[in-house]
Amino acid sequence: MTKKETNETFQSEQGIHTDFLEKMTYGDYLQLDTLLGSQKRLSNHHDEMLFIIIHQVSELWLKLIIHEIKAATIAIQQGKLQASFKMLARVSKIQSQIIQAWDVLSTLTPAEYMEFRDKLGNASGFQSYQYRLVEFVLGYKTPHIMKIYKKDEELYTILKDAYEAPGLYDVSIQALAKEGFTINKDVLQRDFSKTYHKDTSVEQAWLEVYKHKEKYWNLYQLAEKLVDIEDWFQQWRFRHMKTVERIIGHKTGTGGSSGVGYLKKVLDHYFFPELWEIRTKL
């Protein structure tokens, strides 16, 4: 488009607002001065900007995932399963975005990363409190992790509340019980600060849901939404592991973890084990 054509197009849009001396702008609403001023490199290396932005963008997506899962959890508790489906479907779409972020980060080569890695000190994605919140709302509780956040009392309280609260799968199991399925009382009354482990009564309930999906259509849809989230989460974990391996090999992580070794271990964990077990038994 030529400059003349651009001017003509702009002039044809007579309703466009241009006077913002006393009005809120797009940048004001999104607080772009703060957002875009938050990329502070500790080195002069060109690729540190990539490293910072990828992680900041991922944290924003994690914030939205937490927002949606918490709302979906409340909706399920209130029996509003249809409302929860929209939120859980959105979570899956968000997950696809953070998975693709690893493709961008993988353009960082080992030689380039080594030129500024020492500037990170002991800071590591392992310490991401939002990632821990996602694990907590999905039901994966690890007590030793809480020690990382004791220096910030307000943050520690937020994490502790999520740590002790029922997760997304807990309220889904409660929904099974409300529908009339017989669920082990130890499961329904369990200590939510403990990581969930599979139970035969829960497996039998989901098996019935899948065998008679027309009768239990809402629960069937809920189950598939949960499987979607777990599937995408495992893909995210795998891409994380392979990106780390590609960039630093099997070095120890800056936060002190075993790096690739640790990331491989968590690949074997399931948030919703019965929903995967029944696929063999159907």
Side-chain angles (χ1 to χ4, degrees):
M1 184 178 288
T2 66
K3 184 176 180 180
K4 180 182 178 181
E5 289 172 331
T6 300
N7 288 335
E8 288 176 350
T9 299
F10 186 76
Q11 290 170 5
S12 69
E13 296 291 334
Q14 297 298 317
I16 291 177
H17 296 285
T18 57
D19 181 4
F20 286 96
L21 292 177
E22 297 181 3
K23 297 177 184 177
M24 180 178 67
T25 66
Y26 171 81
D28 294 333
Y29 175 66
L30 295 178
Q31 299 183 54
L32 289 183
D33 286 346
T34 300
L35 185 64
L36 299 179
S38 297
Q39 295 73 47
K40 303 185 186 303
R41 290 183 291 170
L42 299 180
S43 74
N44 292 321
H45 197 280
H46 173 83
D47 290 328
E48 190 182 355
M49 184 64 77
L50 160 70
F51 191 81
I52 292 171
I53 288 177
I54 285 293
H55 287 85
Q56 288 182 337
V57 169
S58 294
E59 288 292 334
L60 286 172
W61 282 131
L62 288 174
K63 183 172 184 176
L64 187 53
I65 286 174
I66 295 162
H67 177 72
E68 297 295 341
I69 292 180
K70 281 186 173 180
T73 298
I74 292 171
I76 294 168
Q77 285 177 312
Q78 295 175 342
K80 300 175 181 176
L81 297 188
Q82 286 292 330
S84 76
F85 298 157
K86 176 66 178 293
M87 300 163 193
L88 297 178
R90 181 175 291 159
V91 169
S92 294
K93 292 296 184 182
I94 298 166
Q95 288 175 297
S96 71
Q97 295 297 309
I98 60 174
I99 289 170
Q100 290 179 20
W102 294 121
D103 294 337
V104 182
L105 186 59
S106 66
T107 64
L108 179 67
T109 69
E112 291 162 346
Y113 182 47
M114 286 305 112
E115 291 186 42
F116 64 86
R117 187 183 189 233
D118 63 316
K119 298 294 185 181
L120 303 180
N122 294 129
S124 166
F126 187 85
Q127 297 143 17
S128 167
Y129 74 86
Q130 290 201 123
Y131 176 77
R132 298 306 167 189
L133 276 173
V134 170
E135 287 190 328
F136 292 173
V137 296
L138 291 179
Y140 184 51
K141 314 289 179 72
T142 44
H144 62 280
I145 291 296
M146 294 294 291
K147 295 178 183 177
I148 296 172
Y149 311 101
K150 280 195 171 180
K151 65 176 287 187
D152 186 328
E153 186 175 340
E154 183 178 353
L155 176 57
Y156 185 80
T157 299
I158 292 171
L159 284 159
K160 189 172 183 291
D161 288 344
Y163 186 80
E164 295 175 348
L168 178 63
Y169 197 45
D170 292 308
V171 299
S172 297
I173 292 172
Q174 291 168 7
L176 288 171
K178 290 174 183 176
E179 189 65 28
F181 289 101
T182 302
I183 304 296
N184 187 341
K185 287 184 179 180
D186 291 338
V187 173
L188 296 174
Q189 299 171 4
R190 76 185 194 86
D191 180 353
F192 298 122
S193 68
K194 306 293 184 184
T195 295
Y196 177 80
H197 295 287
K198 62 183 180 181
D199 178 85
T200 302
S201 67
V202 175
E203 182 179 299
Q204 286 301 312
W206 284 126
L207 197 57
E208 283 300 304
V209 168
Y210 272 76
K211 285 181 176 179
H212 306 285
K213 61 183 185 296
E214 291 82 7
K215 181 178 179 181
Y216 303 111
W217 184 249
N218 278 344
L219 289 172
Y220 175 70
Q221 287 188 86
L222 174 59
E224 284 299 290
K225 291 290 185 291
L226 296 178
V227 170
D228 286 342
I229 288 173
E230 177 129 54
D231 189 352
W232 282 110
F233 199 92
Q234 290 294 74
Q235 291 185 53
W236 183 87
R237 279 174 164 170
F238 179 77
R239 289 296 296 124
H240 184 187
M241 182 269 293
K242 294 306 293 183
T243 302
V244 170
E245 185 176 21
R246 175 172 177 156
I247 297 175
I248 67 168
H250 290 266
K251 291 185 181 72
T252 300
T254 50
S257 75
S258 59
V260 169
Y262 170 80
L263 295 173
K264 282 185 176 179
K265 288 177 185 176
V266 296
L267 280 173
D268 293 329
H269 175 262
Y270 285 94
F271 295 108
F272 320 128
E274 293 89 356
L275 292 176
W276 296 93
E277 293 281 344
I278 62 170
R279 280 157 161 73
T280 305
K281 299 179 179 180
L282 280 168

